[in-house]
Structures are given as C-alpha cells and as structure tokens.
Amino acid sequence: MKKLIALLLALVMVLAMTACGGRTEPTTDAPAEKPADSNNAADEPAVVAGFEEGATIGVSLPWLGTQNWKEAEEMFKAELEAAGFKPIIQAADNKVPQQQQQIESMIQNGAKVIVVGPIDGTQLGAVLEEAKAAGIYVIGYDRLLENTTGVDGVVQFGSVKTGELQAQALLDGLKEKKGEGPWNIELFGGGPADPNAPNFFKGAMSVLQPLIDDGTLTIVSGQTDFTQCATMDWDNSKAQARMDSLLSGFYADKEIHGVLSPNDGIARAIITSCEQAGQEIPVVSGLDAENESVEWVWSGRQYSTVAKPTDALVAQTVEIIKSLQAGNGMPATDVLVNNGKIDVLVYELPPVVVTKDNAEEVFANDPGRLELLK
Ligand code: BGC
C-alpha cells in the first residue's frame, strides 16, 4: 500500500511539473509584449506584438531649416495618412528641450511608433528609454540616436560614404576647372551636435588627407580639425562669416580653388562670400540636392551636390512601421552600428553625387528637380 501511495505521489509530481513547464513559449495567437531588452540587435529575434491599424505615429524632426526636413514633414504626413495611420508631426527649431517635450507628448498621446531625427544625437536618451518602457517603438530618421538603449533601428543614407563622395567630387572639380595643382582649399563641417556631421567630415578626410600630406592640396588657413571647421547648428550665416574671415585673413593675395562644404545651404553661403570678396568661384561640394543648389549646379555656380532623396528615406521608414504594425517586427538588415550603448539595426540607403554632367540622369524620375535643369 505504501508503495502504491509513493507511486501515485511521484506520478502527481511529474504531471504537475509538466503542466508548469510546458508553456514557456508564447503562442502565436497571444503574442508576448515586446520584451524590455528586445532592442539589443544581438538578441535572438523577439516575438513582437503588432498594434492596431490606424494607430498614432509620432514624427519628431530637428528643425525645418533645410529642404530635406521640410520634404520629410510633408511626405510623412501624406504617406502615414495614406497607410491609415494618425500622424503627429513636429519640428523642434534646433532646441533640444523642445524636442524632448514634443517626444514626451507623443508618448502621452499613445503613439505606437516614434520616428526621431535628433537635434543632438546624445541628448534624447532618457525620453527615448521612457518611450521604450511604455512599449513604443523608436526609429531614428536620417541621424543616429546615440548613447541610448531606447532605439529599435535607424534609417539613413550612408554618412561616411556621403563625405567620401563630397571629397571625390571636390577633387574631380579641381582637376576639371582649376588647371594643374597644387590647389588652395578650405574645409567646412556641419553642426557638431548632429552625429552625421563628424561622419561626413571623416569620410571626406579619408579621401583628402593623402593629398594634403603629399602637397597636392594646401589648406592655407591650417584649419583641418573637425572642431575648427564645424558650423554650429548648421547655420549658413555662421559659415558665411567664417568664410569671410578666412578670405580676408589668408587669401588677400591668393586664389582659393576649392572648398569642402557639408551641405547645400553652407555651399551657397561659401560661394556668396567668395563672390563678394572678388574671388573667382571656387569648386564647392554640397549635399541634399536642394532646389536652389540644383539650379546653381546647372548654371555652374556650385560644382556638385549629393542627392539623398527624402521620398526614399520616408518610404523605407513607413515600410518598417507597417511591418511593426502587422506584428512582423523590425525587418532584417546587415548593418549594425554601435551607438555607445547597444548595436543598432541600421537601414542604409546609398547617396548619389550630382554634377552638371549627370544631373539629368539622376533626376530622371524627379519631375520637380528635372524642371530646374533649364
Ligand atoms: C542631414 C542633411 C542636412 C543637415 C542639416 C543632416 O543631418 O543629413 O541632409 O542638410 O542635417 O539640416
């Protein structure tokens, strides 16, 4: 009898253990909530929850000071609405506390995804981690989100590659327009808080440094560090003031042959400064294919720009949002970038250099810009 009782007890225990341990995997009909550590790209793909169609999606842009951000504002509105979502789109006028508040209010308003183009890549850690803790997905747009675990992925154009293209175009332009070297050039960088700006500069210097070292290029001012060349807040008027003082300080009796410029607004400021100082227009690079610069490239006033089409970047972001909504999680990508805290999934699109020679080809499917080539 004792033996029988012992046997029955053992059977009951085995059954109880099986019952407890048998359902550790979430079932597909009741998906698990997004686990708190699912942002670490090194993790196994997590089982993720989708969210309702028609959900609120926040888009937080840094400012509307260059054409690409204005395009992003319009295109996100149109495309998110077309996909049935409710967009809240805000721009923060280059003020970090304003951007933090705007993201905070997107969290309070029940956004399921927040898309962020940061003013300062490092200053949103706390609010993005708060978003993540609330189960919201965070996608970096055009710029990396640094030093935070509160990011699920980033959509952007290759930023080091962009700098390489800018520098290569500068060299091609010097050869084409300014005779035999050595050539006198100056270097400009973008806003130092923007994580793209040092990367643009780094990519450019990887192309230019060997030619500075062998004497083909002379930086007459001697200013070659990013910190010396950066343009606070991407402010065109600050770039123009720096160019004015470089010209009066170092080029009173010299020609300036070329200038590395990180974007189109700064390129036009540099060119204007040179014109006003009575210099021949130097070869100047750019970025964004802004309408005004596309016209200047076509008329020969600005040598080159780099196209990074906003429609492609917005479309890629909206695709990811749709995947998240459907419960399919973040799409696969081969690119992982460490942001100081975690490895982030990066969806990288290719930037394309534009000169007068290939402009018609590059803008073949962009009727607005094609129209400017007249
Ligand atoms: C963007 C550029 C833009 C610049 C200033 C960068 O992060 O990639 O397209 O010109 O910010 O707004």
Side-chain angles (χ1 to χ4, degrees):
M1 184 66 182
K2 267 192 191 162
K3 263 192 192 162
L4 190 62
I5 292 174
L7 203 69
L8 279 174
L9 268 176
L11 196 65
V12 168
M13 276 171 70
V14 168
L15 280 175
M17 277 168 68
T18 319
C20 290
R23 283 179 53 102
T24 50
E25 294 299 317
T27 57
T28 41
D29 56 348
E33 276 302 311
K34 191 166 75 114
D37 62 352
S38 74
N39 282 350
N40 194 331
D43 288 351
E44 288 297 304
V47 177
V48 291
F51 49 82
E52 71 275 13
E53 288 176 19
T56 298
I57 308 293
V59 178
S60 167
L61 304 174
W63 70 327
L64 300 176
T66 49
Q67 188 176 330
N68 62 306
W69 298 112
K70 290 181 213 147
E71 290 171 344
E73 185 188 41
E74 286 161 21
M75 290 174 184
F76 269 120
K77 182 170 187 314
E79 293 202 25
L80 287 170
E81 280 176 358
F85 295 112
K86 279 199 288 297
I88 306 177
I89 303 178
Q90 291 187 305
D93 196 24
N94 259 342
K95 298 186 179 75
V96 173
Q98 192 167 321
Q99 185 164 41
Q100 288 165 335
Q101 280 156 18
Q102 289 176 346
I103 294 172
E104 183 68 48
S105 94
M106 290 170 189
I107 299 174
Q108 302 313 326
N109 280 300
K112 297 293 181 196
V113 180
I114 302 182
V115 176
V116 185
I119 294 161
D120 184 323
T122 64
Q123 295 300 309
L124 298 173
V127 73
L128 297 182
E129 280 157 27
E130 184 191 330
K132 183 180 159 173
I136 299 167
Y137 292 96
V138 176
I139 303 175
Y141 174 84
D142 194 278
R143 300 175 174 181
L144 185 62
L145 295 165
E146 299 172 293
N147 257 326
T148 180
T149 58
V151 49
D152 292 283
V154 172
V155 184
Q156 67 174 173
F157 285 88
S159 53
V160 173
K161 179 73 191 166
T162 297
E164 291 168 5
L165 292 177
Q166 291 172 325
Q168 192 54 53
L170 176 62
L171 290 177
D172 293 347
L174 288 168
K175 284 182 205 146
E176 193 183 311
K177 307 267 180 205
K178 299 292 175 181
E180 292 284 297
W183 296 292
N184 299 330
I185 68 164
E186 293 297 332
L187 309 173
F188 280 70
D194 171 359
N196 284 336
N199 280 340
F200 294 159
F201 199 77
K202 181 173 148 198
M205 288 309 270
S206 71
V207 175
L208 300 178
Q209 192 63 56
L211 297 158
I212 297 172
D213 293 343
D214 74 12
T216 308
L217 298 173
T218 309
I219 319 284
V220 177
S221 70
Q223 297 175 12
T224 55
D225 285 345
F226 174 69
T227 46
Q228 295 171 299
C229 303
T231 308
M232 196 53 74
D233 293 332
W234 288 98
D235 181 336
N236 300 342
S237 64
K238 293 200 171 97
Q240 189 159 341
R242 175 165 178 256
M243 193 70 223
D244 289 346
S245 72
L246 289 173
L247 291 173
S248 61
F250 299 98
Y251 291 89
D253 55 358
K254 277 192 194 69
E255 185 180 347
I256 181 158
H257 300 112
V259 183
L260 176 77
S261 166
N263 78 355
D264 283 345
I266 292 177
R268 295 193 301 272
I270 290 166
I271 292 165
T272 303
S273 168
C274 291
E275 287 171 342
Q276 287 172 0
Q279 287 271 352
E280 272 203 23
I281 297 181
V283 173
V284 182
S285 64
L287 172 67
D288 290 337
E290 292 198 343
N291 290 351
E292 206 176 341
S293 281
V294 169
E295 286 172 342
W296 285 31
V297 167
W298 192 245
S299 70
R301 208 165 159 200
Q302 180 176 328
Y303 180 73
S304 65
T305 181
V306 171
K308 47 188 282 281
T310 307
D311 56 353
L313 207 60
V314 170
Q316 169 77 75
T317 312
V318 173
E319 274 315 302
I320 295 175
I321 296 171
K322 286 183 187 164
S323 167
L324 294 171
Q325 188 275 320
N328 295 328
M330 296 296 287
T333 171
D334 292 338
V335 185
L336 285 181
V337 174
N338 191 279
N339 77 347
K341 284 226 169 125
I342 54 167
D343 288 335
V344 180
L345 300 169
V346 175
Y347 304 82
E348 210 171 81
L349 305 185
V352 179
V353 73
V354 186
T355 62
K356 187 168 181 175
D357 283 349
N358 71 350
E360 284 171 313
E361 205 182 305
V362 175
F363 300 131
N365 297 317
D366 183 341
R369 285 180 174 83
L370 209 52
E371 181 69 15
L372 304 169
L373 308 181
K374 281 187 175 153

